[in-house]
Amino acid sequence: MRYHRVLLPLLLVAAWELAAYFIANPFILPSLTTVVPILANPMSMTYTLGTGSLLENAFASIQRVGLGFLLAASIAIPLGILMGRSVALTDLLDSPIELLRPIPPLAWVPLALAWFKIGLTSIVFIIFIGAFFPILLNTVDGVRAVKKTWVEVATTLGASERQILTKVVLPGAAPTVWTGLRVGFGIAWMCVVAAEWLPGISQGLGYLILYAYNFGQTNLIIAGMVVIGLIGLAIDLVFKRVERRWFSWRELER
Amino acid sequence: MGLKLDGISKSFILEDGTEVRALDRITLEVSDSEFVSVLGPSGCGKTTLLRIVAGLERATVGTIVLDGETIEGPSPRMAMIFQEYSLYPWRSVLANIEFGLEIKGLAGEERRDRALSYLDLVGLREFAGRYPYELSGGMRQRVAVARALAIEPAILLMDEPFGALDAQTRNMLQKELLEIWEKTKKTVLFVTHSVDEAVFLSDRIVVLSPRPGRIQEVVPIDLPRPRERTSVEFARIRRYVLDHMENMAVSSKV
Ligand SMILES: Nc1ncnc2c1ncn2[C@@H]1O[C@H](COP(=O)(O)OP(=O)(O)OP(=O)(O)O)[C@@H](O)[C@H]1O
Ligand SMILES: [Mg+2]
């Protein structure tokens, strides 16, 4: 590894420690020595103010995101395929989608509470909203970008509509759909943290960091933030890996 | 028996309501195992004609008759090779050739063996596992030829398949195509705007006028194969065809 890749992080850590030493107020800036033990013991109950271990909180968040994200994907992908194939449907749905899309997912919170009350359904709904539009729009784009010639080759070889869908349209659109899933997951992960600030929630990384604030435990806030960042990063890496392994043809194709 | 184009005319109605006449009363019989080229200037309707024969487009007037039966859509007895690159970039070379066999429901060893034998025929055995983006233009068109041949059609429809290649590759592929044609005894309907290519390959050349494409002249070529491009006879026929095309160009300008 090139040394300057670790140089800056090391400097930042040093600067942090120095600043924490001079500020001398762990509520503003806790020393890293109080953050690291929390991260090093993710299964321990001692640091988390009775909310369950760090790992349990992370798991709760991942579960919620997973649910909302899968729901979004399972509606947005089929709908996107239909829209990509049918001009009439696109004309019909285009303006409502363009109207709804710019509304930030969190602006839906009051409505979600009114509809679904406090609880899992509301959170999943917010995540669903966050993930839905990038998946839908990328799927539509991907299906539209399927070359007419690809479809016609299949037609002349005697393919049925169904075969054209499964053997040409889906694989042809897959890389772009995957991009939509990746972007959608990123947004969903951001939404979950805020959605866990809703009343009536008692676990999750978002809940944990706000709860820690109420107790003045800034070291726990920071540990929670680090975990949120790391999980987001890890999942994005998985998405990228799959993209490189399966969908690199999109970039390599001349 | 064979392929019969009976009074084919085609008009496109554009969005603003104007009519573009692309083809005008094309009548042509192609006998079994015959190699017929359709030659004409750009935009005269060659692609349109081939698409109508392939069942991708409907004639405004006229019918296509194959072995005594009028055909209404794509027929498994014909395979088309497109003017632009048409391979599936997410499939390996072998999987591309297997595509038509998959559509037909052929499976396992049999499908693989058949695909491999056609890969052999175009001399690309060692590229079976490669992907289209790893191939040169000439190799890609060879794969497209193998994919078309693999479904074992009686008729090959070829739309300027070598148009995008450099002269040397082009000459090589023309030779290879003739060898394949002699081996497999397919009927070939070959579209080109190169006089040289048409004279080198064909039993007969059908010369189309500028748009709307009308049959201007049918030139039989009974030179023995392999033909020598530098021979006097070759030059004479080429001159003859060229004169016809130039006359048309002049008369259409007046
Ligand atoms: N779908 C379509 N809608 C409207 N006009 C069309 C359509 N397809 C073809 N045309 C028109 O019909 C004419 C013939 O087109 P075609 O593609 O058959 O020509 P071509 O002889 O194959 O030309 P080239 O040698 O450049 O490939 C052109 O004027 C073209 O603009
Ligand atoms: Mg053309």
Side-chain angles (χ1 to χ4, degrees), chain A residues 146-160 163-164 167-173 175 245-254, chain B residues 51 54-56 74-76 78-80 82 84-91 99-100 102-105 131-136 140 147-148 151:
Chain A
V146 168
K147 281 196 207 159
K148 199 164 142 248
T149 318
W150 292 344
V151 174
E152 288 184 341
V153 168
T155 308
T156 58
L157 293 171
S160 64
Q163 284 174 317
I164 288 175
K167 288 182 189 293
V168 181
V169 175
L170 289 183
R245 172 77 183 74
W246 294 103
F247 303 133
S248 58
W249 60 261
R250 182 177 52 175
E251 272 68 42
L252 295 167
E253 180 71 4
R254 285 159 285 165
Chain B
R51 289 171 59 85
L56 288 171
S75 156
M78 296 192 278
M80 175 137 166
F82 289 78
E84 61 279 355
Y85 290 131
S86 62
L87 299 181
Y88 297 118
W90 58 88
R91 283 175 169 253
F99 184 82
E102 245 174 85
I103 296 293
K104 277 185 154 185
Y131 282 82
Y133 56 77
E134 299 175 277
L135 307 185
S136 69
R140 291 179 185 204
R147 178 174 65 186
I151 64 160

Side-chain angles (χ1 to χ4, degrees), chain A residues 16-31:
Chain A
W16 179 310
E17 278 306 296
L18 211 62
Y21 177 78
F22 282 110
I23 292 169
N25 179 350
F27 182 66
I28 303 295
L29 197 65
S31 159

Side-chain angles (χ1 to χ4, degrees), chain A:
Chain A
M1 193 157 42
R2 282 157 300 172
Y3 71 94
H4 60 263
R5 293 192 60 155
V6 287
L7 189 64
L8 190 60
L10 281 178
L11 279 176
L12 283 175
V13 165
W16 179 310
E17 278 306 296
L18 211 62
Y21 177 78
F22 282 110
I23 292 169
N25 179 350
F27 182 66
I28 303 295
L29 197 65
S31 159
L32 283 174
T33 52
T34 64
V35 176
V36 171
I38 306 178
L39 292 171
N41 300 291
M43 317 253 268
S44 154
M45 302 284 183
T46 40
Y47 307 98
T48 46
L49 312 169
T51 62
S53 70
L54 200 55
L55 212 61
E56 281 172 293
N57 280 290
F59 189 66
S61 295
I62 289 172
Q63 232 178 354
R64 288 169 188 146
V65 169
L67 219 58
F69 175 75
L70 287 181
L71 203 64
S74 60
I75 295 175
I77 293 175
L79 184 63
I81 291 169
L82 288 176
M83 284 177 68
R85 303 271 283 161
S86 151
V87 180
L89 190 65
T90 306
D91 286 349
L92 185 72
L93 294 179
D94 209 36
S95 25
I97 287 172
E98 285 309 308
L99 281 174
L100 292 176
R101 194 168 65 97
I103 302 174
L106 295 178
W108 288 85
V109 166
L111 205 55
L113 289 175
W115 288 348
F116 306 115
K117 308 284 177 293
I118 288 163
L120 181 66
T121 320
S122 283
I123 298 188
V124 170
F125 177 74
I126 301 299
I127 293 163
F128 170 88
I129 296 281
F132 184 76
F133 292 104
I135 302 176
L136 178 71
L137 297 180
N138 276 287
T139 305
V140 175
D141 278 355
V143 170
R144 293 237 177 92
V146 168
K147 281 196 207 159
K148 199 164 142 248
T149 318
W150 292 344
V151 174
E152 288 184 341
V153 168
T155 308
T156 58
L157 293 171
S160 64
E161 276 298 310
R162 199 196 149 76
Q163 284 174 317
I164 288 175
L165 184 68
T166 57
K167 288 182 189 293
V168 181
V169 175
L170 289 183
T176 318
V177 176
W178 192 254
T179 304
L181 289 173
R182 189 176 142 213
V183 174
F185 194 92
I187 295 176
W189 187 242
M190 291 181 192
C191 290
V192 73
V193 174
E196 283 169 350
W197 292 350
L198 293 184
I201 302 297
S202 60
Q203 212 168 40
L205 291 169
Y207 170 79
L208 176 70
I209 59 175
L210 197 65
Y211 193 70
Y213 166 78
N214 292 330
F215 283 82
Q217 301 281 314
T218 308
N219 57 337
L220 183 55
I221 296 178
I222 289 167
M225 286 172 68
V226 170
V227 174
I228 291 167
L230 286 178
I231 292 174
L233 181 70
I235 291 174
D236 199 57
L237 279 180
V238 172
F239 272 105
K240 274 191 191 152
R241 267 287 159 78
V242 173
E243 195 170 299
R244 257 213 306 273
R245 172 77 183 74
W246 294 103
F247 303 133
S248 58
W249 60 261
R250 182 177 52 175
E251 272 68 42
L252 295 167
E253 180 71 4
R254 285 159 285 165

Side-chain angles (χ1 to χ4, degrees), chain B residues 47 83 159-160:
Chain B
T47 297
Q83 187 168 5
D159 187 5
E160 302 196 38

Side-chain angles (χ1 to χ4, degrees), chain B residues 18-29:
Chain B
T18 52
E19 185 186 355
V20 177
R21 290 174 63 214
L23 291 169
D24 187 23
R25 285 165 291 168
I26 305 284
T27 295
L28 174 69
E29 276 191 59

